[in-house]
Amino acid sequence: MDFELSEDQEALVDGVRAVLDGRFGIADVRAMIDAGLDRDRWGELGQTGVFSLALDEDAGGVGLGWADAVLVFEQLGRCLVPGPTVATAVSAGLVDGAATGEVVVGALERLEGPVLLEHAVDLDLVVIYDDEGLWLVEAGSLDLEPAPRPLDPLTPVSQVRGDLPRGERIGDAAASLDFQRRGAVLTSAIQLGLAGGATDLAVAYAKEREQFGRPIGSFQAVKHICADMLGRLEVCRAAVYMAGVTLDDPVVGDPDRALSVARILADHTSSANGKDRVQVHGGMGYTWEVDAHLFLKRAWVLEPTFGSADHHAEWMADTTLGAVSSA
């Protein structure tokens, strides 16, 4: 399958990247560690169409597809854009104001035992999903206990105390499944962007940093690290793009299998490339001042979102064994 971007898709990526570089530079993103989510910038993302890319035009959306949304969310990951971008985007068309960025929407899976909610202080509404459907609740109605030291400083986390409420039903079981599929694919796209951003910055640093009178990128050990990062990235990109295509056109392939492959590879690639970027920076890579740790921590935080890599690997193993047994 040909995953080369069309001229329109290239223009879309270039336009989004220009907006993000101008409004979500690393200094702007770091400022949100203490200040929290910038609602003005969030609104700008909505006005740009980030949250409504796959929503039909007659419903107020851009009218593109999930494959195009994958390209945009890849850029969000590359720029470390904070906030519940995925939850808000997959809620467009279900929750009033999500598509335009007027409201900030989070997502929670209904599970037994304690659950964690990201960006709780910034949320207006929360979509709770389970096997029976989708349920909308106000964020302020939840009993929350903030975590004092979140892993990713750009992703504050709170524990929800007590059982999750039912809230207003906004979707049936089929809608819930679509919600989870789309969330899994866009999360993978963000992790792809994290891996790509880590690779670009590691290569740039390897060209600039000198040791023994030579750029460290000229040393074979560093070359191998950067080559491994690029190899993993390209394989992951093919898988994530494939997942986006199958959401738009299931005839192309099984969406569930494609998104599971994407989740597995995106989780591995974003984590491995994040670690390698720290390695290329040497001892400085672990320090607060160097941005390398932010890519790695975001990758770790996204690992359980819409199904962990282990969850999707087990699902693929079960379905494969089931198919073999039935044959």
Side-chain angles (χ1 to χ4, degrees):
M1 183 173 291
D2 183 8
F3 288 123
E4 291 293 327
L5 304 186
S6 66
E7 291 185 4
D8 288 342
Q9 288 174 324
E10 289 179 350
L12 173 65
V13 170
D14 290 343
V16 170
R17 180 174 292 189
V19 170
L20 295 180
D21 286 344
R23 300 297 288 151
F24 288 89
I26 191 60
D28 301 313
V29 170
R30 274 185 170 269
M32 297 180 196
I33 293 176
D34 296 320
L37 191 67
D38 189 323
R39 295 295 291 249
D40 289 337
R41 284 183 168 84
W42 186 266
E44 290 173 14
L45 290 178
Q47 293 166 13
T48 305
V50 167
F51 304 130
S52 59
L53 284 162
L55 192 63
D56 291 339
E57 290 184 82
D58 56 8
V62 179
L64 296 178
W66 292 104
D68 300 301
V70 163
L71 301 178
V72 171
F73 275 71
E74 180 183 356
Q75 299 308 312
L76 297 183
R78 170 184 166 271
C79 291
L80 287 171
V81 174
T85 53
V86 171
T88 300
V90 296
S91 298
L94 296 169
V95 178
D96 291 340
T100 59
E102 296 174 43
V103 300
V104 183
V105 185
L108 272 178
E109 182 178 8
R110 193 184 304 279
L111 298 170
E112 294 184 3
V115 294
L116 298 177
L117 179 62
E118 299 173 355
H119 302 282
V121 297
D122 299 307
L123 299 179
D124 299 306
L125 299 166
V126 178
V127 175
I128 300 173
Y129 59 92
D130 55 31
D131 292 338
E132 297 179 13
L134 299 172
W135 316 84
L136 186 66
V137 301
E138 293 186 3
S141 67
L142 300 174
D143 184 9
L144 302 170
E145 181 179 356
R149 291 177 296 277
L151 172 62
D152 176 11
L154 287 160
T155 310
V157 177
S158 299
Q159 179 178 327
V160 182
R161 293 180 290 205
D163 296 332
L164 294 178
R166 277 292 181 184
E168 174 192 356
R169 183 168 183 155
I170 59 172
D172 58 13
S176 177
L177 182 58
D178 285 340
F179 186 89
Q180 294 175 62
R181 283 172 173 161
R182 295 162 180 172
V185 172
L186 293 188
T187 299
S188 300
I190 288 181
Q191 287 188 305
L192 171 63
L194 292 171
T199 302
D200 291 343
L201 292 170
V203 170
Y205 183 77
K207 292 178 180 178
E208 297 170 359
R209 177 76 168 94
E210 292 189 0
Q211 190 64 267
F212 307 113
R214 297 167 56 189
I216 63 172
S218 66
F219 300 124
Q220 191 174 48
V222 178
K223 286 181 181 179
H224 285 179
I225 292 175
C226 293
D228 287 343
M229 294 175 75
L230 180 60
R232 283 191 297 263
L233 178 65
E234 291 306 312
V235 173
C236 179
R237 178 172 285 119
V240 175
Y241 284 8
M242 177 65 180
V245 169
T246 60
L247 284 184
D248 290 327
D249 189 1
V251 175
V252 174
D254 181 357
D256 291 320
R257 182 168 291 275
L259 72 86
S260 287
V261 172
R263 287 299 296 123
I264 293 167
L265 288 177
D267 180 62
H268 170 70
T269 303
S270 59
S271 178
N273 282 24
K275 291 177 182 177
D276 280 350
R277 186 189 171 191
V278 171
Q279 179 69 32
V280 170
H281 277 75
M284 290 194 305
Y286 288 94
T287 63
W288 181 263
E289 291 76 17
V290 175
D291 301 324
H293 71 101
L294 295 176
F295 286 82
L296 180 56
K297 290 174 179 177
R298 181 69 61 82
W300 283 340
V301 164
L302 290 175
E303 187 273 334
T305 306
F306 290 103
S308 66
D310 287 344
H311 166 82
H312 286 282
E314 289 176 3
W315 178 87
M316 290 188 65
D318 290 342
T319 54
T320 300
L321 288 173
V324 172
S325 299
S326 61

